[in-house]
Each structure stands twice: as C-alpha cells, then as structure tokens.
Amino acid sequence: MPASRSWAVVALFLIITVAQKMIEPMYSGYFFAFCALSLMLAWKCRYSRFIKAPELNIDFFAISLVLTFSIFFAIKTHQDARDIFRDVGAIFAFMIGRYVIPLWVGRGNVKLLMQTLSDIGVAISVITIMFALLAYLDGADAYHWRGTYVPLSHGWLPYFLIVNIALLRKTSEQASRYGYRIFLCIAGTIASLSRTDVLLDLFIGLVLLLTIGRHLFSNVRVMRGLIAFGIIVAVLMPKIIELDVVQERLASNAEDADPSLGWRYIENQALFDHFSEGAALPAIVGYGLGSRISLPDGVLDFDGNDTIPLLHNSYLTIVLKFGLLGLCFFALYIVRKVRVWMVLRKSPHAIYAWTGSWIMLIVLAKGIILQGLTEWSHVIFFGLACMLLSFDTYKKDSKK
C-alpha cells in the first residue's frame, strides 16, 4: 500500500491515464491534475521556505527565464493560444517531475518516491493487460488494439521496469516482491504490442546481463525468478507470436509497409522546407512556443489540418521552437547530468543515480520517434530523472 504522502502522486498518474481515454483534449486532464497537485503542495508548504531550496537556484530560474522569453516571443508572433498552452504545458510537466512530486513525497525521501513509482507501475501494468485482454476478446486488429483499447500510459512501463530493478538491487531481501513487479511490467509491455518498448526491454535486459549479471546470478531468489521467467517465456512466446495482431505488427515493418514511417519522413521534410524558406535567425533561435509548420501541398494530418505543431522527433521539435541554439543548450544540460551521474555512481546514492540515468536514457530514446520530450507524461519522467541526477536531492536523504 502506498504511504499517505504518496496517494496524491498515485492519483496524479491515474488521472493522466484516465485523461488519455476520456477527456478531449487529454492535456486538459493533465493540466487539471498538475494544478491540483501544485496547489495542494503550496497549501501543505504554506508556512515553510521550500521555495528557497538550493536546487531551485539554477535549474528553476533558468527554466523560468526561458519560459518567460518564449511566451513573450510567442505572443509577439501571434501564435495560437492552444498551441502555446500545449508547449508551455510540456515545460510545466518537467517542473512537476523535477520539483513538485519530490517535494510532495518528501524532500530527500528518494526511497519512498521509488516505492511510489513501483506501486503506480503495478496499476498501469494491470490496466494495460486488462485492456489488451478485452481487445483480444473483441477480436480487435493491431491498429484498434493500440489506438482504441490499450491506454497510452503503457509507454511508461519501461520506466517502472527500471525502478523495480533498482529496488530489487537495493532491497534484495524483497527480491520476490519486485521480481513479480518486473514480470508485470514486461508482460504489460508485450500486451501493449509496442515494438519500441519491447526493444527497450530487450536492450535493458542485455545491458544488465553484461554489467551486473554476476550480481544477479549470485542471489538465489533472483536466480529462481529468472529461471521461472525463462520457462514462462519459452512456453508462451511462441503462442503470442502466432497471434494475428502480433503478425500484423511484425509484418508492418517489412518493405516500408508501416505508414507511420512514411508520416515521420513527411514531418521531417516539412520542417527542413520550413526553415529553407525563412531567414537565418529563426534557424538559430527558433519560431517560439506555439509555432507550427506547414505540410506539403495536399497532405493533411489525422485531424484534417494542413499544419502541425509537433513532430514525432522531439529534437526536431526543439529546433522548431527554440532553434539550433536551444538544442545546444539542451545538449549541454544533458552533459551536465552525465557529469553528475559519474560522481554519484561512486556514492551511497549510486542506485538512485543509476535509476535516473536509465530513465533519462529511455526518454531520450523515445524522443527520437515517439515525442518522448514533448508528450507531457514522458516529460514528467524526464523531470524525475533530472531530480535523481541532482546533488541537492540527497542533501537531506536519511534513507540511505
């Protein structure tokens, strides 16, 4: 059961999950949850001085400065209010993950935050599997399986997988508990039919075997779990692969038959055409929050629009909004976090830094093809990763 301080965080992610299915546009539900949690935190901390916490001095004010400048630039160029709201919300989502959630759970109580994320992972895994089972019973094809039945929150499962692996390594006496949760995350990913996330899980497993395989195999409980998991995979995987929907997903990769790849090419080409038609300055500083790019003549998106505000490749979206200069600043921020990880991995907090580095890596990977750095819920996890890769996070950590 989640601790009392964690229920609001659990509710936040469940509201987002529901918003993805029942609220249009879904970002309205996200924004409601963000505001509710932020106001609750403000009321809870109304007599404290948490706003003067050291970690707010650099990241917080730098982000605020960028946000203020970008909003001013967007208003000056008369961007659509809904597009500005969407872009500002992504920055707001980062701050929710970086500051609000950790402060709500308890500043420095990283272990409780990790356990809370593990609990959320159980809920999302079960929800994903249930909807996948419903899709199977209804005879849904691969398109409707993912687009109608399975919630978009299944994309969070690789993050929860990393969290549970870290908790298993941190508390080996509870190997059975977190072993089951790891199995749930993997089962949910397979049930979602997400090719990207399945590949991410395989990559994570391969790296773990190469880096900490000896540690895993030295634990009898972990070894038993791995053997049981291997037997289950050996028995069920052939049957899963034979399913029609799985064959549809596999076949869509062959001979450029996947329409999503063609759409990504159209997006990228539209961005390059957009910059080639303008002056040099926009390529350097971008077009600001709320900016859109025109699609080629005769091409419309799924909502019938001839312009789009985001690309599947988040790095190109950053170039659109903030230019090459913005992309360079983002790269420098990532380098800074890598340097923090290199120090923390030799500290008592190494397992938390390991978690943050993996979550960040997954978000960055999703940013290439799945809007990982622009879709609000994934940006929350990016903020959480940055929190885990910050020195100030552990200054009051008594839960070593």
Side-chain angles (χ1 to χ4, degrees):
M1 294 289 288
S4 58
R5 282 183 293 176
S6 303
W7 277 111
V9 179
V10 175
L12 168 71
F13 284 97
L14 292 181
I15 290 173
I16 292 175
T17 301
V18 172
Q20 293 171 343
K21 283 289 184 181
M22 301 181 63
I23 300 177
E24 180 61 36
M26 64 182 183
Y27 285 138
S28 298
Y30 286 31
F31 191 71
F32 167 78
F34 291 173
C35 290
L37 185 65
S38 300
L39 290 173
M40 289 166 61
L41 178 65
W43 178 258
K44 176 183 176 183
C45 302
R46 62 191 182 279
Y47 299 122
S48 68
R49 296 182 177 181
F50 75 96
I51 195 64
K52 296 183 180 180
E55 72 271 17
L56 300 183
N57 289 344
I58 300 176
D59 294 352
F60 180 80
F61 291 113
I63 293 169
S64 299
L65 182 63
V66 171
L67 184 60
T68 302
F69 172 78
S70 299
I71 292 176
F72 171 78
F73 189 76
I75 294 174
K76 185 178 179 180
T77 54
H78 307 291
Q79 305 291 0
D80 185 85
R82 179 170 173 173
D83 292 325
I84 296 175
F85 168 76
R86 184 193 297 107
D87 293 346
V88 170
I91 301 175
F92 191 15
F94 172 83
M95 300 180 76
I96 291 291
R98 175 64 179 84
Y99 302 111
V100 177
I101 291 177
L103 286 170
W104 179 266
V105 174
R107 183 169 179 263
N109 200 341
V110 183
K111 186 175 181 180
L112 177 58
L113 175 59
M114 296 271 286
Q115 291 171 337
T116 301
L117 293 174
S118 177
D119 292 334
I120 299 169
V122 172
I124 299 302
S125 298
V126 172
I127 290 171
T128 300
I129 294 171
M130 288 177 58
F131 275 98
L133 180 60
L134 181 61
Y136 173 74
L137 295 175
D138 288 349
D141 58 19
Y143 179 81
H144 290 94
W145 185 297
R146 290 177 50 74
T148 304
Y149 289 88
V150 175
L152 295 175
S153 53
H154 73 78
W156 308 339
L157 293 178
Y159 309 130
F160 298 131
L161 174 63
I162 290 296
V163 168
N164 285 308
I165 292 173
L167 289 172
L168 185 148
R169 295 177 61 190
K170 180 74 174 177
T171 55
S172 56
E173 67 277 6
Q174 299 185 43
S176 298
R177 177 186 184 185
Y178 294 114
Y180 290 137
R181 296 187 174 199
I182 289 170
F183 175 78
L184 266 179
C185 290
I186 296 174
T189 298
I190 295 173
S192 71
L193 299 183
S194 172
R195 295 167 298 188
T196 300
D197 289 344
V198 168
L199 290 175
L200 283 172
D201 285 359
L202 290 173
F203 175 73
I204 292 168
L206 178 61
V207 173
L208 290 180
L209 287 176
L210 294 175
T211 55
I212 60 172
R214 292 178 61 185
H215 172 75
L216 293 175
F217 293 134
S218 65
N219 188 307
V220 177
R221 291 183 180 179
V222 174
M223 189 65 180
R224 289 174 181 172
L226 289 173
I227 293 174
F229 178 73
I231 294 173
I232 292 173
V233 170
V235 173
L236 295 181
M237 192 55 67
K239 299 182 182 297
I240 293 175
I241 293 177
E242 292 175 358
L243 294 175
D244 292 340
V245 288
V246 176
Q247 290 298 318
E248 286 183 46
R249 293 292 289 169
L250 294 175
S252 64
N253 276 332
E255 298 179 0
D256 298 327
D258 189 349
S260 63
L261 297 179
W263 179 253
R264 285 165 172 77
Y265 173 80
I266 292 175
E267 290 180 344
N268 298 344
Q269 189 60 48
L271 178 68
F272 298 141
D273 292 342
H274 189 67
F275 278 112
S276 65
E277 295 173 357
L281 183 61
I284 298 174
V285 300
Y287 286 91
L289 296 176
S291 56
R292 303 175 71 98
I293 57 175
S294 299
L295 294 170
D297 292 339
V299 177
L300 302 176
D301 68 4
F302 297 106
D303 295 322
N305 300 311
D306 59 359
T307 61
I308 54 174
L310 304 170
L311 293 85
H312 280 80
N313 187 319
S314 296
Y315 302 99
L316 295 182
T317 300
I318 292 174
V319 173
L320 171 65
K321 311 291 181 177
F322 304 105
L324 294 173
L325 187 62
L327 186 62
C328 288
F329 276 115
F330 178 76
L332 290 174
Y333 184 75
I334 298 300
V335 170
R336 179 185 170 202
K337 291 302 176 184
V338 171
R339 294 177 62 184
V340 173
W341 170 76
M342 293 180 69
V343 175
L344 289 177
R345 67 193 180 100
K346 299 178 182 179
S347 74
H349 314 293
I351 192 63
Y352 301 133
W354 179 88
T355 306
S357 63
W358 267 104
I359 292 178
M360 177 172 287
L361 179 63
I362 294 172
V363 175
L364 294 176
K366 285 177 175 284
I368 298 174
I369 57 174
L370 295 174
Q371 298 183 350
L373 290 167
T374 50
E375 203 285 319
W376 291 10
S377 62
H378 291 284
V379 179
I380 293 177
F381 284 98
F382 182 71
L384 287 169
C386 292
M387 180 273 300
L388 293 171
L389 292 172
S390 297
F391 293 123
D392 292 310
T393 298
Y394 307 101
K395 286 189 174 179
K396 293 186 179 181
D397 186 5
S398 60
K399 304 287 186 180
K400 299 181 182 179

PDB file of all heavy atoms in Angstrom, residues 25 34 45 64-65 72 85 104 114 159 181 184 191 219 221 230 267 287 293 309 312 316 338 342 384 390:
ATOM      1  N   PRO A  25      -9.505  17.895 -25.170  1.00  0.00           N
ATOM      2  CA  PRO A  25      -8.213  17.235 -25.392  1.00  0.00           C
ATOM      3  C   PRO A  25      -7.656  16.683 -24.093  1.00  0.00           C
ATOM      4  O   PRO A  25      -7.920  17.237 -23.017  1.00  0.00           O
ATOM      5  CB  PRO A  25      -7.336  18.359 -25.942  1.00  0.00           C
ATOM      6  CG  PRO A  25      -7.906  19.595 -25.327  1.00  0.00           C
ATOM      7  CD  PRO A  25      -9.388  19.370 -25.237  1.00  0.00           C
ATOM      8  N   PHE A  34      -2.060  18.526 -12.758  1.00  0.00           N
ATOM      9  CA  PHE A  34      -0.872  19.300 -12.401  1.00  0.00           C
ATOM     10  C   PHE A  34      -1.221  20.416 -11.422  1.00  0.00           C
ATOM     11  O   PHE A  34      -0.548  20.603 -10.404  1.00  0.00           O
ATOM     12  CB  PHE A  34      -0.240  19.924 -13.653  1.00  0.00           C
ATOM     13  CG  PHE A  34       0.390  18.942 -14.597  1.00  0.00           C
ATOM     14  CD1 PHE A  34       0.857  19.358 -15.832  1.00  0.00           C
ATOM     15  CD2 PHE A  34       0.514  17.600 -14.266  1.00  0.00           C
ATOM     16  CE1 PHE A  34       1.450  18.472 -16.711  1.00  0.00           C
ATOM     17  CE2 PHE A  34       1.101  16.702 -15.142  1.00  0.00           C
ATOM     18  CZ  PHE A  34       1.565  17.137 -16.372  1.00  0.00           C
ATOM     19  N   CYS A  45       2.807  23.443   2.160  1.00  0.00           N
ATOM     20  CA  CYS A  45       4.077  24.102   2.489  1.00  0.00           C
ATOM     21  C   CYS A  45       3.917  25.599   2.700  1.00  0.00           C
ATOM     22  O   CYS A  45       4.879  26.353   2.565  1.00  0.00           O
ATOM     23  CB  CYS A  45       5.096  23.838   1.384  1.00  0.00           C
ATOM     24  SG  CYS A  45       5.434  22.094   1.078  1.00  0.00           S
ATOM     25  N   SER A  64      12.564  29.133 -15.807  1.00  0.00           N
ATOM     26  CA  SER A  64      11.609  30.242 -15.737  1.00  0.00           C
ATOM     27  C   SER A  64      11.977  31.342 -16.726  1.00  0.00           C
ATOM     28  O   SER A  64      11.095  31.928 -17.370  1.00  0.00           O
ATOM     29  CB  SER A  64      11.572  30.806 -14.306  1.00  0.00           C
ATOM     30  OG  SER A  64      11.155  29.823 -13.388  1.00  0.00           O
ATOM     31  N   LEU A  65      13.280  31.633 -16.856  1.00  0.00           N
ATOM     32  CA  LEU A  65      13.718  32.667 -17.793  1.00  0.00           C
ATOM     33  C   LEU A  65      13.409  32.261 -19.229  1.00  0.00           C
ATOM     34  O   LEU A  65      12.883  33.064 -20.014  1.00  0.00           O
ATOM     35  CB  LEU A  65      15.220  32.902 -17.628  1.00  0.00           C
ATOM     36  CG  LEU A  65      15.837  33.996 -18.511  1.00  0.00           C
ATOM     37  CD1 LEU A  65      15.227  35.350 -18.173  1.00  0.00           C
ATOM     38  CD2 LEU A  65      17.363  34.035 -18.313  1.00  0.00           C
ATOM     39  N   PHE A  72       6.696  35.402 -24.295  1.00  0.00           N
ATOM     40  CA  PHE A  72       6.691  36.751 -24.876  1.00  0.00           C
ATOM     41  C   PHE A  72       6.879  36.682 -26.391  1.00  0.00           C
ATOM     42  O   PHE A  72       6.170  37.352 -27.148  1.00  0.00           O
ATOM     43  CB  PHE A  72       7.815  37.580 -24.246  1.00  0.00           C
ATOM     44  CG  PHE A  72       8.031  38.914 -24.913  1.00  0.00           C
ATOM     45  CD1 PHE A  72       7.185  39.978 -24.651  1.00  0.00           C
ATOM     46  CD2 PHE A  72       9.083  39.100 -25.803  1.00  0.00           C
ATOM     47  CE1 PHE A  72       7.379  41.213 -25.275  1.00  0.00           C
ATOM     48  CE2 PHE A  72       9.282  40.317 -26.433  1.00  0.00           C
ATOM     49  CZ  PHE A  72       8.432  41.374 -26.160  1.00  0.00           C
ATOM     50  N   PHE A  85      -0.393  26.896 -25.160  1.00  0.00           N
ATOM     51  CA  PHE A  85      -0.743  26.136 -23.964  1.00  0.00           C
ATOM     52  C   PHE A  85      -0.088  24.761 -23.992  1.00  0.00           C
ATOM     53  O   PHE A  85       0.463  24.292 -22.987  1.00  0.00           O
ATOM     54  CB  PHE A  85      -2.261  26.007 -23.879  1.00  0.00           C
ATOM     55  CG  PHE A  85      -2.741  25.011 -22.853  1.00  0.00           C
ATOM     56  CD1 PHE A  85      -2.719  25.317 -21.503  1.00  0.00           C
ATOM     57  CD2 PHE A  85      -3.214  23.762 -23.238  1.00  0.00           C
ATOM     58  CE1 PHE A  85      -3.158  24.405 -20.554  1.00  0.00           C
ATOM     59  CE2 PHE A  85      -3.651  22.848 -22.302  1.00  0.00           C
ATOM     60  CZ  PHE A  85      -3.630  23.173 -20.958  1.00  0.00           C
ATOM     61  N   TRP A 104       6.370  16.812  -2.734  1.00  0.00           N
ATOM     62  CA  TRP A 104       5.154  16.272  -2.136  1.00  0.00           C
ATOM     63  C   TRP A 104       5.454  14.998  -1.349  1.00  0.00           C
ATOM     64  O   TRP A 104       4.996  14.825  -0.221  1.00  0.00           O
ATOM     65  CB  TRP A 104       4.099  15.989  -3.209  1.00  0.00           C
ATOM     66  CG  TRP A 104       2.848  15.415  -2.612  1.00  0.00           C
ATOM     67  CD1 TRP A 104       2.512  14.105  -2.475  1.00  0.00           C
ATOM     68  CD2 TRP A 104       1.777  16.160  -2.012  1.00  0.00           C
ATOM     69  NE1 TRP A 104       1.308  13.984  -1.836  1.00  0.00           N
ATOM     70  CE2 TRP A 104       0.826  15.234  -1.540  1.00  0.00           C
ATOM     71  CE3 TRP A 104       1.533  17.528  -1.837  1.00  0.00           C
ATOM     72  CZ2 TRP A 104      -0.341  15.625  -0.904  1.00  0.00           C
ATOM     73  CZ3 TRP A 104       0.364  17.914  -1.213  1.00  0.00           C
ATOM     74  CH2 TRP A 104      -0.548  16.973  -0.755  1.00  0.00           C
ATOM     75  N   MET A 114      10.600   6.162  -5.004  1.00  0.00           N
ATOM     76  CA  MET A 114      10.809   4.984  -5.850  1.00  0.00           C
ATOM     77  C   MET A 114       9.739   3.935  -5.575  1.00  0.00           C
ATOM     78  O   MET A 114       9.190   3.319  -6.502  1.00  0.00           O
ATOM     79  CB  MET A 114      12.195   4.400  -5.580  1.00  0.00           C
ATOM     80  CG  MET A 114      13.342   5.310  -5.941  1.00  0.00           C
ATOM     81  SD  MET A 114      13.890   5.124  -7.632  1.00  0.00           S
ATOM     82  CE  MET A 114      14.758   3.564  -7.520  1.00  0.00           C
ATOM     83  N   TYR A 159       9.965   2.728 -17.739  1.00  0.00           N
ATOM     84  CA  TYR A 159      10.451   3.488 -16.594  1.00  0.00           C
ATOM     85  C   TYR A 159      10.219   2.714 -15.305  1.00  0.00           C
ATOM     86  O   TYR A 159      11.101   2.628 -14.441  1.00  0.00           O
ATOM     87  CB  TYR A 159       9.741   4.840 -16.499  1.00  0.00           C
ATOM     88  CG  TYR A 159       9.733   5.649 -17.774  1.00  0.00           C
ATOM     89  CD1 TYR A 159       8.555   6.200 -18.271  1.00  0.00           C
ATOM     90  CD2 TYR A 159      10.903   5.880 -18.483  1.00  0.00           C
ATOM     91  CE1 TYR A 159       8.533   6.955 -19.428  1.00  0.00           C
ATOM     92  CE2 TYR A 159      10.895   6.635 -19.655  1.00  0.00           C
ATOM     93  CZ  TYR A 159       9.711   7.169 -20.111  1.00  0.00           C
ATOM     94  OH  TYR A 159       9.701   7.902 -21.264  1.00  0.00           O
ATOM     95  N   ARG A 181       6.896  -7.701  -9.836  1.00  0.00           N
ATOM     96  CA  ARG A 181       6.571  -6.419 -10.455  1.00  0.00           C
ATOM     97  C   ARG A 181       7.339  -6.235 -11.768  1.00  0.00           C
ATOM     98  O   ARG A 181       6.815  -5.641 -12.718  1.00  0.00           O
ATOM     99  CB  ARG A 181       6.861  -5.281  -9.481  1.00  0.00           C
ATOM    100  CG  ARG A 181       5.964  -5.342  -8.244  1.00  0.00           C
ATOM    101  CD  ARG A 181       6.096  -4.154  -7.346  1.00  0.00           C
ATOM    102  NE  ARG A 181       5.107  -4.226  -6.263  1.00  0.00           N
ATOM    103  CZ  ARG A 181       4.727  -3.192  -5.526  1.00  0.00           C
ATOM    104  NH1 ARG A 181       5.245  -1.994  -5.747  1.00  0.00           N
ATOM    105  NH2 ARG A 181       3.823  -3.342  -4.573  1.00  0.00           N
ATOM    106  N   LEU A 184       5.450  -8.161 -14.257  1.00  0.00           N
ATOM    107  CA  LEU A 184       4.230  -7.444 -14.655  1.00  0.00           C
ATOM    108  C   LEU A 184       4.542  -6.362 -15.687  1.00  0.00           C
ATOM    109  O   LEU A 184       3.807  -6.190 -16.668  1.00  0.00           O
ATOM    110  CB  LEU A 184       3.567  -6.813 -13.425  1.00  0.00           C
ATOM    111  CG  LEU A 184       2.464  -7.596 -12.725  1.00  0.00           C
ATOM    112  CD1 LEU A 184       1.957  -6.816 -11.519  1.00  0.00           C
ATOM    113  CD2 LEU A 184       1.325  -7.924 -13.670  1.00  0.00           C
ATOM    114  N   ALA A 191       1.895  -7.053 -23.909  1.00  0.00           N
ATOM    115  CA  ALA A 191       0.456  -6.965 -24.175  1.00  0.00           C
ATOM    116  C   ALA A 191       0.097  -5.696 -24.940  1.00  0.00           C
ATOM    117  O   ALA A 191      -0.897  -5.670 -25.681  1.00  0.00           O
ATOM    118  CB  ALA A 191      -0.321  -7.025 -22.863  1.00  0.00           C
ATOM    119  N   ASN A 219      22.400 -14.172  -6.348  1.00  0.00           N
ATOM    120  CA  ASN A 219      21.257 -14.138  -5.441  1.00  0.00           C
ATOM    121  C   ASN A 219      20.332 -15.306  -5.771  1.00  0.00           C
ATOM    122  O   ASN A 219      19.811 -15.399  -6.882  1.00  0.00           O
ATOM    123  CB  ASN A 219      20.510 -12.803  -5.587  1.00  0.00           C
ATOM    124  CG  ASN A 219      19.423 -12.623  -4.546  1.00  0.00           C
ATOM    125  OD1 ASN A 219      18.559 -13.474  -4.364  1.00  0.00           O
ATOM    126  ND2 ASN A 219      19.464 -11.487  -3.861  1.00  0.00           N
ATOM    127  N   ARG A 221      17.320 -16.125  -4.755  1.00  0.00           N
ATOM    128  CA  ARG A 221      15.932 -15.763  -5.064  1.00  0.00           C
ATOM    129  C   ARG A 221      15.820 -15.186  -6.479  1.00  0.00           C
ATOM    130  O   ARG A 221      14.885 -15.509  -7.218  1.00  0.00           O
ATOM    131  CB  ARG A 221      15.431 -14.737  -4.051  1.00  0.00           C
ATOM    132  CG  ARG A 221      15.259 -15.289  -2.639  1.00  0.00           C
ATOM    133  CD  ARG A 221      14.701 -14.218  -1.714  1.00  0.00           C
ATOM    134  NE  ARG A 221      14.514 -14.718  -0.362  1.00  0.00           N
ATOM    135  CZ  ARG A 221      14.049 -13.986   0.653  1.00  0.00           C
ATOM    136  NH1 ARG A 221      13.728 -12.705   0.427  1.00  0.00           N
ATOM    137  NH2 ARG A 221      13.907 -14.491   1.843  1.00  0.00           N
ATOM    138  N   GLY A 230      12.147 -17.464 -17.468  1.00  0.00           N
ATOM    139  CA  GLY A 230      12.603 -18.062 -18.722  1.00  0.00           C
ATOM    140  C   GLY A 230      11.685 -19.187 -19.188  1.00  0.00           C
ATOM    141  O   GLY A 230      11.408 -19.315 -20.389  1.00  0.00           O
ATOM    142  N   GLU A 267       6.964  14.652 -42.021  1.00  0.00           N
ATOM    143  CA  GLU A 267       7.173  15.666 -40.983  1.00  0.00           C
ATOM    144  C   GLU A 267       8.570  16.280 -41.083  1.00  0.00           C
ATOM    145  O   GLU A 267       8.720  17.514 -41.072  1.00  0.00           O
ATOM    146  CB  GLU A 267       7.020  15.029 -39.598  1.00  0.00           C
ATOM    147  CG  GLU A 267       5.621  14.626 -39.211  1.00  0.00           C
ATOM    148  CD  GLU A 267       5.592  14.000 -37.833  1.00  0.00           C
ATOM    149  OE1 GLU A 267       6.673  13.608 -37.332  1.00  0.00           O
ATOM    150  OE2 GLU A 267       4.515  13.895 -37.252  1.00  0.00           O
ATOM    151  N   TYR A 287      11.161  29.448 -33.777  1.00  0.00           N
ATOM    152  CA  TYR A 287       9.970  30.251 -34.034  1.00  0.00           C
ATOM    153  C   TYR A 287       9.142  30.488 -32.780  1.00  0.00           C
ATOM    154  O   TYR A 287       8.082  31.105 -32.848  1.00  0.00           O
ATOM    155  CB  TYR A 287       9.106  29.571 -35.096  1.00  0.00           C
ATOM    156  CG  TYR A 287       9.679  29.677 -36.501  1.00  0.00           C
ATOM    157  CD1 TYR A 287      10.526  28.699 -37.002  1.00  0.00           C
ATOM    158  CD2 TYR A 287       9.379  30.762 -37.320  1.00  0.00           C
ATOM    159  CE1 TYR A 287      11.049  28.786 -38.287  1.00  0.00           C
ATOM    160  CE2 TYR A 287       9.904  30.866 -38.598  1.00  0.00           C
ATOM    161  CZ  TYR A 287      10.742  29.875 -39.075  1.00  0.00           C
ATOM    162  OH  TYR A 287      11.266  29.977 -40.340  1.00  0.00           O
ATOM    163  N   ILE A 293       4.356  24.105 -38.412  1.00  0.00           N
ATOM    164  CA  ILE A 293       4.957  24.027 -39.744  1.00  0.00           C
ATOM    165  C   ILE A 293       3.907  23.535 -40.722  1.00  0.00           C
ATOM    166  O   ILE A 293       3.021  22.734 -40.371  1.00  0.00           O
ATOM    167  CB  ILE A 293       6.188  23.099 -39.773  1.00  0.00           C
ATOM    168  CG1 ILE A 293       5.828  21.691 -39.291  1.00  0.00           C
ATOM    169  CG2 ILE A 293       7.307  23.675 -38.946  1.00  0.00           C
ATOM    170  CD1 ILE A 293       6.968  20.705 -39.421  1.00  0.00           C
ATOM    171  N   PRO A 309       1.916  21.166 -35.025  1.00  0.00           N
ATOM    172  CA  PRO A 309       2.686  21.892 -34.009  1.00  0.00           C
ATOM    173  C   PRO A 309       3.868  21.093 -33.469  1.00  0.00           C
ATOM    174  O   PRO A 309       4.764  21.667 -32.843  1.00  0.00           O
ATOM    175  CB  PRO A 309       1.654  22.121 -32.909  1.00  0.00           C
ATOM    176  CG  PRO A 309       0.765  20.919 -33.003  1.00  0.00           C
ATOM    177  CD  PRO A 309       0.706  20.531 -34.454  1.00  0.00           C
ATOM    178  N   HIS A 312       7.162  13.872 -34.499  1.00  0.00           N
ATOM    179  CA  HIS A 312       7.431  12.690 -33.690  1.00  0.00           C
ATOM    180  C   HIS A 312       8.854  12.735 -33.133  1.00  0.00           C
ATOM    181  O   HIS A 312       9.118  12.213 -32.045  1.00  0.00           O
ATOM    182  CB  HIS A 312       7.219  11.421 -34.514  1.00  0.00           C
ATOM    183  CG  HIS A 312       5.777  11.024 -34.632  1.00  0.00           C
ATOM    184  ND1 HIS A 312       4.916  11.622 -35.519  1.00  0.00           N
ATOM    185  CD2 HIS A 312       5.044  10.098 -33.964  1.00  0.00           C
ATOM    186  CE1 HIS A 312       3.714  11.081 -35.405  1.00  0.00           C
ATOM    187  NE2 HIS A 312       3.760  10.150 -34.462  1.00  0.00           N
ATOM    188  N   LEU A 316      13.806  17.567 -33.281  1.00  0.00           N
ATOM    189  CA  LEU A 316      13.440  18.497 -34.356  1.00  0.00           C
ATOM    190  C   LEU A 316      12.368  19.473 -33.881  1.00  0.00           C
ATOM    191  O   LEU A 316      12.333  20.625 -34.325  1.00  0.00           O
ATOM    192  CB  LEU A 316      12.959  17.716 -35.581  1.00  0.00           C
ATOM    193  CG  LEU A 316      14.012  16.843 -36.267  1.00  0.00           C
ATOM    194  CD1 LEU A 316      13.428  16.168 -37.505  1.00  0.00           C
ATOM    195  CD2 LEU A 316      15.241  17.671 -36.649  1.00  0.00           C
ATOM    196  N   VAL A 338      25.088  14.006 -17.014  1.00  0.00           N
ATOM    197  CA  VAL A 338      26.021  12.875 -17.144  1.00  0.00           C
ATOM    198  C   VAL A 338      27.181  13.048 -16.172  1.00  0.00           C
ATOM    199  O   VAL A 338      27.621  12.079 -15.519  1.00  0.00           O
ATOM    200  CB  VAL A 338      26.519  12.753 -18.594  1.00  0.00           C
ATOM    201  CG1 VAL A 338      27.641  11.725 -18.684  1.00  0.00           C
ATOM    202  CG2 VAL A 338      25.380  12.365 -19.520  1.00  0.00           C
ATOM    203  N   MET A 342      28.333  10.552 -13.058  1.00  0.00           N
ATOM    204  CA  MET A 342      29.679   9.994 -12.909  1.00  0.00           C
ATOM    205  C   MET A 342      30.198  10.167 -11.487  1.00  0.00           C
ATOM    206  O   MET A 342      30.990   9.349 -10.989  1.00  0.00           O
ATOM    207  CB  MET A 342      30.638  10.653 -13.906  1.00  0.00           C
ATOM    208  CG  MET A 342      30.309  10.306 -15.353  1.00  0.00           C
ATOM    209  SD  MET A 342      31.425  11.084 -16.549  1.00  0.00           S
ATOM    210  CE  MET A 342      32.937  10.197 -16.190  1.00  0.00           C
ATOM    211  N   LEU A 384      11.746  13.716 -13.326  1.00  0.00           N
ATOM    212  CA  LEU A 384      12.116  12.828 -12.222  1.00  0.00           C
ATOM    213  C   LEU A 384      13.555  12.341 -12.384  1.00  0.00           C
ATOM    214  O   LEU A 384      14.308  12.244 -11.403  1.00  0.00           O
ATOM    215  CB  LEU A 384      11.156  11.638 -12.171  1.00  0.00           C
ATOM    216  CG  LEU A 384       9.741  11.933 -11.672  1.00  0.00           C
ATOM    217  CD1 LEU A 384       8.835  10.732 -11.919  1.00  0.00           C
ATOM    218  CD2 LEU A 384       9.758  12.287 -10.186  1.00  0.00           C
ATOM    219  N   SER A 390      20.667  14.954  -9.433  1.00  0.00           N
ATOM    220  CA  SER A 390      20.994  16.267  -8.870  1.00  0.00           C
ATOM    221  C   SER A 390      21.581  16.081  -7.474  1.00  0.00           C
ATOM    222  O   SER A 390      21.032  15.328  -6.661  1.00  0.00           O
ATOM    223  CB  SER A 390      19.749  17.160  -8.793  1.00  0.00           C
ATOM    224  OG  SER A 390      19.233  17.415 -10.082  1.00  0.00           O
TER     225      SER A 390
END
